[in-house]
């Protein structure tokens, strides 16, 4: 190992978990004055296609207009949202209980590209759990071995200790597969590793390697973890597996995204995740972090994990529909993380499903089909279906028909049904992209980077896979 501890702490995750290659590829250069017109042009045809270009029946037209008025956010509203995000960012930097949490990460510098060595990295918080081994060559290149593990809902929502035992078992499997085939498990147990833990949940971090979970998000509810130092929980689980691993750094996925891109693009100032969940980390001046405890001498900047999913929980600036309220009331913590519910991949399909069920009950949609068990099942309408429906360019929306029939067991839809369904997807997806754009705009303005520009790293399945989202 040739990194010193500080270098390791501030750096390993970025390239390690963040998951390097796709993040690097997804760099978005924010130069608002030039970019905005292009971005608008990219989004608008989507709604025009859905709303204006099709030969609409008048009842269909009326329904689409009604839905559009509920989901479309005016430019004025978007500007108000962006301004309020900046107000709440400033407040969150001053107090502990702000609407946006603005959590200090204790990452105080970014990589130089000269770091070397091999490290383990874990990524917990998305659809899959990942174990990685990352090797840095000291001249700006990183290579990575990784293995994905599916986390069953029973593990996400069961006993906390069992969740951390599952993680440690996965690490052992990974090490035996990659380092133990000749020498056996014993060698795996004897080699000392440093590990970075990318734990993508809100954590009150007191140092780079210590932090307690504030609240679970994204459907995790494992017991006895909230309020506890998650590094200790992981370290104890490694001991139970006889693994000689030191957990040296704890980071959020947004922090990892920012750092991994900064490894090759030093002008990176923010990292955004648009995936199962949504959030942003950015570079803040230490002088602006009023609530920061501990010594500040010699510290110029620190990455802040915003946890923007909690923005507007008081529901003051963003207009919500009745379906948004219905979704929220069925989450483990109603009234919280409502911005994330409007943006992230975990929730978009569910909003679409709730609209469909409602319209089917009033006879305005799927009048000739019976609502299937799947369509009535919470979270059964996967956000991936929305991507497929929005990508359906067949004249009779045949791909949409297949999803309705094969995935949702809803045969008998009419072309009008399918057009309305596609419009609902476009409205919900577009609202998400616009709200995420408000967040990015707010962060760039807060950093005063509007005129000179900066790079924002973007990662996550929604950003990568959802058509027109970018
Ligand atoms: C979590 C964040 C995380 C985001 C993206 C949210 O639910 O609170 O910590 O960065 O998801 O994974």
């Amino acid at each position: 190992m040739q990194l010193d501890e500080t270098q390791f702490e501030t750096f390993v995750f970025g390239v390690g978990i963040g998951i390097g290659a796709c993040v690097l590829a997804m760099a978005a250069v924010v130069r608002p004055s030039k970019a905005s017109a292009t971005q608008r042009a990219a989004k608008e045809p989507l709604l025009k296609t859905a709303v204006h270009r099709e030969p609409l029946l008048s009842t269909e037209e009326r329904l689409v207009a009604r839905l559009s008025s509920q989901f479309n956010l005016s430019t004025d509203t978007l500007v108000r949202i962006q301004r309020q995000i900046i107000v709440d960012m400033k407040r969150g930097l001053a107090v502990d209980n702000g609407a946006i949490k603005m959590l200090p990460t204790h990452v105080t510098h970014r990589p130089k590209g000269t770091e070397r060595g091999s490290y383990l990295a874990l990524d917990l918080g998305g659809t899959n759990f990942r174990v990685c081994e990352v090797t840095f060559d000291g001249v700006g290149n990183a290579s990575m071995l990784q293995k994905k593990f599916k986390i069953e809902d029973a593990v996400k929502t069961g006993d906390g200790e069992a969740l951390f035992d599952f993680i440690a078992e996965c690490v052992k499997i990974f090490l035996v597969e990659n380092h133990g085939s000749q020498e056996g498990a014993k060698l795996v147990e004897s080699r000392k590793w440093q590990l970075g833990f990318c734990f993508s949940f809100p954590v009150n971090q007191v140092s780079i390697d210590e932090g307690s979970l504030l609240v679970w998000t994204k459907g995790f509810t494992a017991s006895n973890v909230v309020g506890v130092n998650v590094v200790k929980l992981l370290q104890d689980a490694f001991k139970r597996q006889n693994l000689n691993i030191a957990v040296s750094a704890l980071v959020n996925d947004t922090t990892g995204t920012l750092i991994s891109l900064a490894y090759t693009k030093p002008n990176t100032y923010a990292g955004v995740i648009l995936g199962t969940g949504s959030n942003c980390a950015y570079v803040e001046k230490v002088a602006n972090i009023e609530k920061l405890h501990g010594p500040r001498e010699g510290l110029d900047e620190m990455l802040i994990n915003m946890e923007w999913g909690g923005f507007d929980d008081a529901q003051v600036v963003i207009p919500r529909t009745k379906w948004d309220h219905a979704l929220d009331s069925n989450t483990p913590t109603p009234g919280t993380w409502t911005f994330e519910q409007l943006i992230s991949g975990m929730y978009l399909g569910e909003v679409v499903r709730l609209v469909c069920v409602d319209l089917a009950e009033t006879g305005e949609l799927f009048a000739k089909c019976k609502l299937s068990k799947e369509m009535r099942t919470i979270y059964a309408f996967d956000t991936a279906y929305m991507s497929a429906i929005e990508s359906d360019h067949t004249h009779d929306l045949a791909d949409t028909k297949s999803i309705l029939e094969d995935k949702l067991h809803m045969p008998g839809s009419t072309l009008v049904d399918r057009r309305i369904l596609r419009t609902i997807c476009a409205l919900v997806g577009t609202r998400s992209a616009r709200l995420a754009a408000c967040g990015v705009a707010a962060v760039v303005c807060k950093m005063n980077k509007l005129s000179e520009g900066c790079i924002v790293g973007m990662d996550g399945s929604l950003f990568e896979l959802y058509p027109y989202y970018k």
Side-chain angles (χ1 to χ4, degrees), residues 1-2 8 116-120 133-136 191 193-194:
M1 300 288 170
Q2 293 170 48
F8 174 81
R116 328 165 57 99
S118 282
Y119 306 91
L120 290 178
E133 179 186 344
V134 194
T135 305
F136 305 105
R191 176 165 170 187
W193 288 92
Q194 282 190 76

Side-chain angles (χ1 to χ4, degrees), residues 18 90 97 111 192 219 243 248 258 289 309 313 321 345 398-399 442 444 447:
K90 289 184 180 158
N97 59 352
K192 170 97 180 166
L243 290 171
S248 311
L258 194 166
I289 315 173
D313 276 350
T321 67
D399 300 340
V444 174
M447 293 188 296

Side-chain angles (χ1 to χ4, degrees), residues 129-365:
F129 165 64
R130 280 192 291 174
V131 184
C132 314
E133 179 186 344
V134 194
T135 305
F136 305 105
D137 68 358
V139 287
N141 304 304
S143 57
M144 180 161 77
L145 284 174
Q146 66 161 328
K147 187 174 172 77
K148 287 185 185 173
F149 297 85
K150 183 165 172 41
I151 314 187
E152 300 300 335
D153 284 348
V155 177
K156 291 183 188 168
T157 57
D159 171 55
E161 193 171 296
L163 169 66
F164 282 86
D165 279 339
F166 166 80
I167 295 173
E169 280 159 26
C170 295
V171 173
K172 193 161 195 173
I173 292 170
F174 174 87
L175 287 176
V176 170
E177 267 181 29
N178 292 292
H179 296 279
S181 51
Q182 312 276 318
E183 301 89 348
K186 276 282 165 248
L187 187 77
V188 164
E189 289 171 9
S190 65
R191 176 165 170 187
K192 170 97 180 166
W193 288 92
Q194 282 190 76
L195 176 143
F197 186 21
C198 179
F199 182 73
S200 304
F201 299 96
V203 163
N204 180 20
Q205 208 153 339
V206 290
S207 68
I208 191 70
D209 61 358
E210 185 180 346
S212 54
L213 176 66
L214 289 168
V215 58
W216 280 120
T217 57
K218 297 176 282 198
F220 280 70
T221 55
S223 58
N224 306 319
V225 185
V226 173
V228 180
N229 175 11
V230 292
V231 171
K232 178 155 187 336
L233 291 176
L234 182 60
Q235 200 69 75
D236 290 350
F238 286 146
K239 268 192 214 132
R240 290 193 289 276
Q241 289 291 332
N242 291 320
L243 290 171
N244 192 5
I245 298 175
V247 185
S248 311
L250 173 68
V251 292
N252 188 264
D253 50 357
T254 52
T255 312
T257 298
L258 194 166
I259 299 172
S260 69
L261 196 55
Y263 187 54
T264 50
K265 295 187 190 302
N267 198 28
T268 304
Y269 277 83
V272 173
I273 298 286
L274 293 160
T276 310
S278 181
N279 187 16
C280 173
Y282 76 102
V283 180
E284 184 55 275
K285 293 194 174 65
V286 166
N288 291 341
I289 315 173
E290 287 173 54
K291 68 180 181 185
L292 187 67
H293 305 295
R296 296 160 173 250
E297 294 86 66
L299 293 184
D300 178 30
E301 60 181 40
M302 185 180 284
L303 269 51
I304 293 290
N305 166 16
M306 290 176 64
E307 291 297 340
W308 76 17
F311 170 66
D312 200 37
D313 276 350
Q315 310 206 353
V316 179
V317 274
I318 309 177
R320 264 56 177 202
T321 67
K322 64 174 171 176
W323 304 292
D324 301 316
H325 292 298
L327 180 147
D328 177 50
S329 64
N330 266 321
T331 59
T333 47
T336 67
W337 252 247
T338 54
F339 191 56
E340 176 161 273
Q341 290 167 14
L342 301 175
I343 295 182
S344 82
M346 170 148 182
Y347 303 101
L348 301 187
E350 176 61 4
V351 178
V352 171
R353 189 192 70 83
L354 288 166
V355 178
C356 289
V357 171
D358 224 12
L359 297 180
E361 276 166 359
T362 57
E364 292 165 283
L365 183 66

